[in-house]
Amino acid sequence: MSSTHPTRRAATLCIHAGTHHDSATGGACSPIFPSTAYAFPHPTGANIYPRYFNTPNQRVIAGKLAALEQGGEALVFGSGMAAIATVLQTELRPGDHAVFQADLYGGTHHLVTRELARGGVEYSFVRGVEEFAAAIRPRTRLLYLESPSNPLLRCLDIAAVADIGRRHGVLTVIDNTFATPINQNPLALGIDVVIHSATKYLNGHSDLNAGVVVASAAWIQRLTEVATHLGGMLDAHACGQLERGLKTLALRVRQHNENAGRLARHLQQHPAVRCVIYPGLPEHPDHAVAARQMRGFGGMLSFELRAPSRIDRFLGQLRVVLPALSLGGVESLVCVPSRTSHRLMTPAERHEAGISDGLVRLSVGIEDIEDLIEDVDQALAADSP
Ligand SMILES: *Cc1c(COP(=O)(O)O)cnc(C)c1O
């Protein structure tokens, strides 16, 4: 499928890996193949059908992500949650046990607590590498992590968790959405399965839902069988749109990294800000781990206002940064986790999780950094007591 040399660098792979070359026209872009009916018997022996995850445009995305994450194979889903649910369904049977990082993406947390138990699967939530090891039982089949996590951007030593999984013969799975394959390649650190919500940075334009799983060819074959039953695939037009987004992934992520780093250091100096949470800052508790395993620190940052009561004034004054859910697009977005992702927790549970009422999460976009700094400054000035 991919005509790209395996040792090419990420920015080149974003553009060229997986491309479906159209020999009839010599076009530079993959054509879009919308058919849901393909010849049978097919001259190649293949049985092509969108829900079999094997149409040309699905294969283009899979080829690109397998190359970028340095994996054997990839599978493209209709959403990040479809990817996550299908991974869990593939590996876990009634009576099995799985270990999840406690500060999971909200949708994944709900999937685990509401659906896994219904399937007779037991689970534990843990914090930190040692707790992953301590939580393993005879029926443990899966260790699941996110690094950096949402919204406190904690970074777990990925190679250490991968090592625990390998020693116990347990599959290790990471949600790599926040880092992107540009900043972090977990398979190279020993992780078995990498998941992305492609809705975020991979597509990067806040205009489609998609998900991706990358792993060894053998494991993706198992995943494909289950995925075919569950049916959470992506259609050809959305694949074409996602392919276009992916071509600029390396370029966008470089700018997200740079803008977030600049804004983090700026906010650190601001009198209205109590603290800034960004893995690229030496003050971040996991800075050393992040520096070891990431090539860039990403576009997500959080900060705490000194006066939480002024949070609505701050949000209302912003003119460039949009108060909105989701993340990873070219536009800067801001949200307040205590009112969004963590609103269903009790105040005590939020306190325990480190989510204060003054906590603000920024998905730093790729606008001009001077405009972002000016916008946040004037909104914070309105916010000053
Ligand atoms: C958004 C997100 C998901 C879910 O992805 P969808 O495409 O919305 O289904 C999973 N994990 C993380 C870290 C996310 O940010």
Side-chain angles (χ1 to χ4, degrees), residues 161-322:
V161 177
D163 191 52
I164 292 166
R166 203 167 33 246
R167 276 190 282 119
H168 290 85
V170 176
L171 190 82
T172 48
V173 179
I174 190 169
D175 181 333
N176 203 30
T177 299
F178 273 34
T180 82
I182 304 305
N183 285 335
Q184 178 170 282
N185 291 123
L187 298 178
L189 298 168
I191 293 287
D192 297 310
V193 178
V194 170
I195 303 176
H196 285 279
S197 168
T199 309
K200 316 296 168 53
Y201 289 102
L202 298 189
N203 180 59
H205 294 74
S206 307
D207 58 5
L208 68 80
N209 256 149
V212 179
V213 179
V214 191
S216 68
W219 201 82
I220 292 294
Q221 194 177 345
R222 288 183 52 203
L223 181 73
T224 307
E225 280 171 30
V226 178
T228 298
H229 300 145
L230 297 183
M233 72 290 179
L234 192 67
D235 87 278
H237 294 282
C239 285
Q241 209 176 337
L242 176 54
E243 180 186 6
R244 182 201 280 212
L246 278 165
K247 289 182 184 181
T248 56
L249 178 68
L251 187 62
R252 286 185 283 109
V253 169
R254 268 206 302 275
Q255 197 63 46
H256 285 293
N257 291 342
E258 191 182 317
N259 282 5
R262 288 269 312 271
L263 196 55
R265 287 188 297 277
H266 178 79
L267 287 169
Q268 258 189 325
Q269 315 296 325
H270 201 287
V273 173
R274 186 193 305 284
C275 66
V276 179
I277 300 164
Y278 184 65
L281 296 175
E283 294 82 3
H284 189 278
D286 304 324
H287 176 67
V289 174
R292 216 166 43 237
Q293 66 195 16
M294 303 180 81
R295 288 182 290 270
F297 297 108
M300 300 301 297
L301 77 82
S302 297
F303 63 95
E304 273 188 44
L305 286 182
R306 278 197 199 282
S309 58
R310 301 301 186 97
I311 222 162
D312 289 306
R313 287 264 300 277
F314 169 69
L315 296 177
Q317 280 311 121
L318 289 166
R319 292 296 175 261
V320 179
V321 180
L322 280 170

